[in-house]
Amino acid sequence: MTGKTLYTVIIFSENTVGLLNQITIIFTRRQLNIETLSVSPSAIKGIHKFTITTFADQDTMDKVVKQIDKRVNILKAYYNTDEDLVYQEIALYKVSTEQFMQTGKVEELIRTYNVRILDINESCVVLEKSGHYEETQALFKELSRTIGVLQFIRSGRVAITKSKVERLSDMLSTMEKKLQDKQGITNGEE
């Protein structure tokens, strides 16, 4: 990955069928691998937020975001580096109850890695860890080495900007003001 930076692309859109395919095609054409992908409703009613991570250079990211922004159903797309964001991932680990209890280090493991036990039964224990990739991966390695992991899943990145408001909020406020100004001019001319 020489010369490549991990970028987080944040896209706001309406919830439209086929939009994810349109977005992924843009990455594919630029030969960019999507590292993580998360989609959820945003803080603004009716608007969804895509959070995508990829390794690229800044010039490529500028072009990708401009292409995404041109799509009809996209309200706004932009990218950030890790320094601009507060972000997390969540990971779930399933381990054998017998092996988990035999380690004798359950409390130490929970305290060291800030782990939550989500479910425990006679056959397995499901653990949850949230954090950055390196943190969730460190726990995976530790569990693999000491107990053995039966199942493992990690979510895509979820992220918010460190700025006071979301960029989409600024854009929508500007658009609303322009619309009001235009309507005021139209109403004044009548």
Side-chain angles (χ1 to χ4, degrees):
M1 297 281 171
T2 307
K4 306 275 182 173
T5 302
L6 181 66
Y7 286 98
T8 301
V9 180
I10 298 177
I11 304 164
F12 290 97
S13 73
E14 296 174 359
N15 191 12
T16 307
V17 173
L19 187 58
L20 179 57
N21 185 48
Q22 293 176 37
I23 292 168
T24 57
I25 287 171
I26 293 169
F27 283 84
T28 303
R29 285 185 185 145
R30 298 252 178 219
Q31 297 182 350
L32 295 173
N33 187 45
I34 293 175
E35 299 294 326
T36 66
L37 168 67
S38 176
V39 183
S40 68
S42 73
I44 302 167
K45 186 177 176 161
I47 306 298
H48 278 65
K49 181 177 184 177
F50 293 73
T51 306
I52 301 170
T53 59
T54 189
F55 284 97
D57 57 68
Q58 187 171 358
D59 183 53
T60 301
M61 288 313 306
D62 286 335
K63 291 173 183 172
V64 165
V65 167
K66 284 178 185 173
Q67 279 188 294
I68 293 170
D69 256 341
K70 289 179 185 177
R71 297 285 173 206
V72 172
N73 296 315
I74 300 294
L75 299 172
K76 185 67 184 156
Y78 58 92
Y79 65 90
N80 291 296
T81 58
D82 289 354
E83 295 78 31
D84 304 322
L85 301 169
V86 176
Y87 60 94
Q88 292 285 289
E89 294 181 356
I90 185 171
L92 300 179
Y93 313 78
K94 183 188 283 185
V95 296
S96 161
T97 302
E98 183 180 346
Q99 296 293 326
F100 185 67
M101 299 309 281
Q102 284 180 356
T103 65
K105 297 181 179 182
V106 172
E107 183 181 357
E108 181 183 329
L109 183 77
I110 290 170
R111 289 182 186 276
T112 301
Y113 290 97
N114 195 23
V115 175
R116 285 184 45 203
I117 297 176
L118 295 182
D119 186 48
I120 189 166
N121 59 50
E122 66 272 350
S123 64
C124 64
V125 177
V126 178
L127 305 170
E128 173 196 25
K129 166 77 180 137
S130 63
H132 294 173
Y133 173 84
E134 297 78 15
E135 297 167 311
T136 59
Q137 190 63 23
L139 178 57
F140 176 75
K141 288 179 181 177
E142 176 69 16
L143 292 172
S144 295
R145 185 181 64 76
T146 59
I147 299 171
V149 177
L150 302 174
Q151 290 183 35
F152 172 70
I153 186 74
R154 182 187 347 261
S155 72
R157 174 180 282 196
V158 292
I160 56 175
T161 61
K162 290 182 180 178
S163 64
K164 185 176 177 182
V165 294
E166 194 75 71
R167 290 184 190 171
L168 180 65
S169 300
D170 289 342
M171 186 197 82
L172 292 174
S173 294
T174 302
M175 287 173 59
E176 186 176 320
K177 183 168 178 5
K178 285 180 183 177
L179 181 62
Q180 288 172 349
D181 290 346
K182 185 177 178 182
Q183 288 175 343
I185 292 169
T186 305
N187 292 338
E189 291 175 357
E190 295 178 349

